[in-house]
Amino acid sequence: MRSTEDLIASLSTGLTPVRRLKPPLLRALGWILLATAVIAILVLLRGFRADIDACLQDPAYLIQVVGAWLTGAAATLAAFEISLPDRKRSWLLLPLPFAALWLSGFAYGCLGDWIAIPSGAPVMADSIRCLETLVMASLPLGLVLWMMLRRARPLRASATAWVGALAVAAFADTAHLLIHVVQASSLVLVINLVPVTIILMIGGFFGRQALRAAA
Amino acid sequence: MSIKDPPAKAAPDKDWSALMAAAQDGDAKAYGALLGAITPYLRGVARRAGLGPEEIEDGVQDILLTLHSIRQSYDPKRPFAPWLLAVARHRLIDRLRRRGRIRLRETALTEAHETFVTDESNHHEEASDVRRLHEAIAVLPAGQRQAVELLRLQELSLKEASAVSGQSPSALKVALHRALKRLSRLLPRS
């Protein structure tokens, strides 16, 4: 084993300047703005859902949309904070109240007024369009978030990846809620929660590996 | 698993913070001074964490390498000692967990495991040291393998190796150090 003094000499020889990371709040705000812009672009491309006027009068819908966006914003801030070594783990709790609000919107809307799948409804075609929106939102957002988080080379790669994946999933679902009409309660649960869970699992697992490789 | 905070007076935070800020701007002298100054402090942290005397230098070197690779994440407006201690904690906890896992699955060899009377007969593998070395190098991650091949086997200079591999000299140094440590674990001295 070489001595610690040799290692210090080796590390300090030819040292190059590094670009300091901006404060996590600033970096999080940048990404939240990007996520909101991506949602706006998707809405422009695909249009608001046909029943948007009625939806804006529905408290369950508003709770879902606002809850999803706030979950995304809180999870983003938590991801940037937790990616730094000296920040408290309690940042991980920040998105939880907003996630509870988001999920309570589904529970209130679906379980309070259960609507069965109408006969002859184009379930498969609708589901594919929904998935397209979720993928179009989550892929670019996930990629940019990963590139931003890996600059910190997070020591808590796993926690950073999971909370980052939650941010991506929540913003992708915000876009989905604004664009797609899903009438049947069972489909609302399946089309929102299943892809969100998949984004979370993929982002959490692969993000963890990718961030570990960067550390 | 917890690592106790070392006494606050052991860490002259303002000096270290200024040195680290200068190091981030590329001041090699300040960086060398900082790493030299924090090393005794880190030895104390490692000792308090429960590392044995034979593991302390390894633990300290791990922390220094990690500090080097994430030095862009330090904010000079914040105190340095908590940042350093957080980095040290992460690395030492990793090390203690790894040690725990190794101890769980390893059993020390005893005389009963020897099959022949003479030492030479039990150490026939020494004849194939070169083969073992190459096998060990082959299982290293790609970046570390390349660093060993270029800097040790082909004996290129850091500058030449950097030009060949496209990695920065600093990244090559870190990769080589990690590779040598890993090799020393893979190829324990008999």
Side-chain angles (χ1 to χ4, degrees), chain B:
Chain B
M1 213 178 302
S2 72
I3 293 174
K4 290 174 204 157
D5 282 359
K9 65 179 178 186
D13 204 86
K14 272 188 182 168
D15 295 349
W16 289 357
S17 181
L19 288 172
M20 186 63 176
Q24 287 177 318
D25 294 333
D27 184 339
K29 220 171 178 179
Y31 195 44
L34 172 72
L35 297 185
I38 63 175
T39 296
Y41 173 74
L42 292 177
R43 285 192 187 114
V45 174
R47 199 175 307 112
R48 269 185 291 274
L51 257 57
E54 72 289 352
E55 293 173 295
I56 286 177
E57 283 312 302
D58 263 2
V60 168
Q61 291 186 16
D62 249 1
I63 299 166
L64 293 178
L65 283 166
T66 304
L67 180 151
H68 183 74
S69 66
I70 65 164
R71 64 192 189 282
Q72 73 283 3
S73 74
Y74 172 64
D75 178 358
K77 291 189 199 108
R78 295 172 72 92
F80 179 77
W83 183 85
L84 175 66
L85 192 59
V87 174
R89 274 197 182 119
H90 284 294
R91 274 296 161 256
L92 293 173
I93 287 172
D94 281 352
R95 177 167 283 275
L96 290 169
R97 282 186 183 144
R98 203 162 52 231
R99 185 176 74 179
R101 280 199 298 270
I102 289 170
R103 282 187 182 168
L104 274 177
R105 62 168 188 257
E106 281 190 353
T107 310
L109 290 176
T110 65
E111 282 181 13
H113 293 95
E114 294 197 0
T115 48
F116 300 102
V117 178
T118 59
D119 276 354
E120 294 74 16
S121 308
N122 283 298
H123 297 122
H124 55 87
E125 70 276 14
E126 280 175 9
S128 57
D129 274 354
V130 174
R131 182 177 52 80
R132 287 175 56 221
L133 176 63
H134 281 283
E135 282 170 0
I137 290 172
V139 300
L140 291 173
Q144 294 180 14
R145 190 169 61 242
Q146 192 180 33
V148 172
E149 283 169 356
L150 295 177
L151 294 169
R152 286 290 180 266
L153 301 185
Q154 297 179 29
E155 297 185 334
L156 298 184
S157 69
L158 262 178
K159 207 172 168 186
E160 291 165 337
S162 172
V164 171
S165 65
Q167 293 190 64
S168 68
S170 173
L172 277 171
K173 277 190 258 182
V174 172
L176 178 66
H177 182 80
R178 286 190 172 149
L180 294 180
K181 279 180 75 174
R182 193 155 175 180
L183 286 175
S184 71
R185 278 203 301 275
L186 291 170
L187 300 166
R189 283 177 197 155
S190 52

Side-chain angles (χ1 to χ4, degrees), chain A residues 1 4 10 13 18 20 151, chain B residues 24 57-58 61 72 173:
Chain A
M1 187 183 75
T4 303
S10 156
T13 306
V18 286
R20 289 187 192 104
R151 277 212 63 222
Chain B
Q24 287 177 318
E57 283 312 302
D58 263 2
Q61 291 186 16
Q72 73 283 3
K173 277 190 258 182

Side-chain angles (χ1 to χ4, degrees), chain A residues 112-127:
Chain A
D113 183 18
W114 187 267
I115 301 168
I117 301 174
S119 60
V123 173
M124 190 50 77
D126 283 351
S127 305

Side-chain angles (χ1 to χ4, degrees), chain A:
Chain A
M1 187 183 75
R2 73 170 150 175
S3 76
T4 303
E5 286 67 32
D6 287 348
L7 175 67
I8 291 172
S10 156
L11 291 178
S12 49
T13 306
L15 185 73
T16 50
V18 286
R19 198 153 53 92
R20 289 187 192 104
L21 293 180
K22 298 263 185 297
L25 178 63
L26 213 60
R27 302 172 74 220
L29 278 177
W31 192 80
I32 292 167
L33 278 177
L34 173 78
T36 308
V38 167
I39 293 170
I41 290 168
L42 283 173
V43 170
L44 278 175
L45 287 174
R46 315 202 106 190
F48 274 114
R49 54 192 290 165
D51 58 349
I52 188 73
D53 291 334
C55 285
L56 293 176
Q57 312 296 322
D58 177 7
Y61 175 80
L62 291 175
I63 288 173
Q64 278 174 41
V65 176
V66 173
W69 191 90
L70 287 174
T71 304
T76 307
L77 181 57
F80 281 104
E81 288 284 352
I82 207 78
S83 70
L84 300 174
D86 56 342
R87 306 304 161 100
K88 287 193 163 62
R89 284 191 81 84
S90 51
W91 277 105
L92 291 172
L93 302 176
L94 183 68
L96 292 186
F98 304 108
L101 190 71
W102 175 27
L103 295 178
S104 71
F106 286 115
Y108 180 66
C110 294
L111 306 180
D113 183 18
W114 187 267
I115 301 168
I117 301 174
S119 60
V123 173
M124 190 50 77
D126 283 351
S127 305
I128 288 172
R129 275 197 294 275
C130 292
L131 285 178
E132 278 172 8
T133 300
L134 288 164
V135 171
M136 282 161 70
S138 56
L139 265 185
L141 289 180
L143 199 64
V144 174
L145 184 61
W146 171 70
M147 285 164 68
M148 289 175 79
L149 287 173
R150 76 194 285 267
R151 277 212 63 222
R153 295 176 176 250
L155 299 180
R156 288 175 286 208
S158 193
T160 306
W162 283 106
V163 77
L166 177 63
V168 172
F171 280 121
D173 197 50
T174 308
H176 175 256
L177 286 166
L178 290 170
I179 294 169
H180 294 284
V181 180
V182 184
Q183 283 176 341
S185 301
S186 54
L187 289 180
V188 169
L189 291 177
V190 171
I191 291 178
N192 284 287
L193 297 187
V194 171
V196 161
T197 310
I198 291 172
I199 294 170
L200 198 59
M201 302 301 282
I202 292 175
F205 184 73
F206 288 107
R208 183 180 59 175
Q209 304 296 328
L211 288 172
R212 273 199 184 141

